[in-house]
Amino acid sequence: MARQIGPKHKLCRKYGEKLCDSPKCPLTKRAYPAGQHGPSKKRPKVSGYGKQLLEKQKVKRIYGILERQFSNYVTEASKKVGDTSKILLNYLESRLDNTVYRAGLAFSRAAARQMVNHGHIVVDGEKVDIPSYRVKVGQVVAASPIAKNKKLFEGISEKLQKVEAPSWLGVDSKTVSAKVLNAPTVENPNFNPKAIIEFYSR
């Protein structure tokens, strides 16, 4: 399955949840599926398998991950000792593009992925251009010295001062960086990771 490049907000309305990073998501005004019937259109009943599939599709949409890579995350997490769903969440949140987004260096995960691909991000001072790179506790993610002078990061220090970063990240607005303080976690994800594990366990 290719990465979603079509009308992204349509997926938000299809799933009935805000899956994008945009403050202008139409779901905030029209919380019902797209179509001519509008709010009167009822959502069809979904089977147990369908619900699990839906959760998987939601996560892939949120993090912008393709099927093969996502299934590899699930397989790797399943081989670890502990709560597989929590381990999977850790893998997803540890992605470099997600870390850049969570730190406030980009307004969306898609924008963060592009920053990484273009070499605008460094980890411990070294350029890393792989969005799926997994950050570790103690590492520092930052805008590269050259990138800081680009229009892309104009006014970034002021913006970072207002960012509500997760507890596992320590953001420094002066150096335009973020240190990984703890293992990445998500307290209340808007998807069911256990349902995803069950889907791949079939």
Side-chain angles (χ1 to χ4, degrees):
M1 178 179 178
R3 180 171 286 116
Q4 173 67 31
I5 57 176
K8 298 178 180 179
H9 295 309
K10 188 174 182 180
L11 289 179
C12 296
R13 295 182 65 190
K14 174 183 177 182
Y15 297 144
E17 295 182 41
K18 188 175 183 297
L19 305 179
C20 62
D21 308 309
S22 173
K24 298 181 180 180
C25 179
L27 190 69
T28 58
K29 295 183 179 180
R30 300 189 295 277
Y32 50 84
Q36 62 178 333
H37 301 292
S40 64
K41 184 178 181 180
K42 296 182 179 180
R43 295 185 184 278
K45 292 184 179 180
V46 183
S47 65
Y49 172 83
K51 290 179 180 178
Q52 294 172 352
L53 175 63
L54 185 63
E55 292 302 305
K56 184 197 74 163
Q57 298 294 69
K58 281 166 55 179
V59 175
K60 287 169 56 181
R61 166 68 183 90
I62 291 171
Y63 290 93
I65 302 174
L66 301 181
E67 175 60 33
R68 178 177 293 182
Q69 188 174 47
F70 186 67
S71 63
N72 286 340
Y73 281 148
V74 175
T75 299
E76 184 180 353
S78 300
K79 295 179 180 179
K80 297 289 185 180
V81 177
D83 189 326
T84 303
S85 60
K86 290 184 178 180
I87 296 173
L88 176 61
L89 277 173
N90 175 272
Y91 289 166
L92 294 171
E93 287 292 303
S94 295
R95 287 174 58 93
L96 180 57
D97 54 1
N98 179 74
T99 303
V100 170
Y101 165 68
R102 292 291 195 191
L105 297 175
F107 66 87
S108 69
R109 289 184 178 86
R113 187 179 304 111
Q114 189 174 45
M115 284 182 182
V116 176
N117 281 329
H118 290 180
H120 297 324
I121 301 298
V122 296
V123 178
D124 289 342
E126 298 293 330
K127 184 179 76 173
V128 178
D129 56 7
I130 303 174
S132 61
Y133 174 88
R134 197 173 297 170
V135 299
K136 301 177 180 62
V137 176
Q139 290 188 314
V140 176
V141 177
S144 70
I146 297 177
K148 289 179 184 178
N149 298 320
K150 293 182 177 293
K151 188 176 182 179
L152 178 68
F153 289 99
E154 187 175 359
I156 188 64
S157 293
E158 291 73 19
K159 293 177 183 178
L160 289 180
Q161 293 176 11
K162 303 176 183 179
V163 171
E164 295 184 6
S167 59
W168 54 273
L169 277 178
V171 178
D172 188 331
S173 61
K174 294 183 180 179
T175 59
V176 191
S177 66
K179 184 174 183 178
V180 182
L181 304 175
N182 303 293
T185 58
V186 182
E187 294 183 2
N188 298 300
N190 59 339
F191 55 87
N192 186 347
K194 290 186 178 181
I196 296 171
I197 300 300
E198 291 173 358
F199 174 85
Y200 282 99
S201 297
R202 286 176 175 270

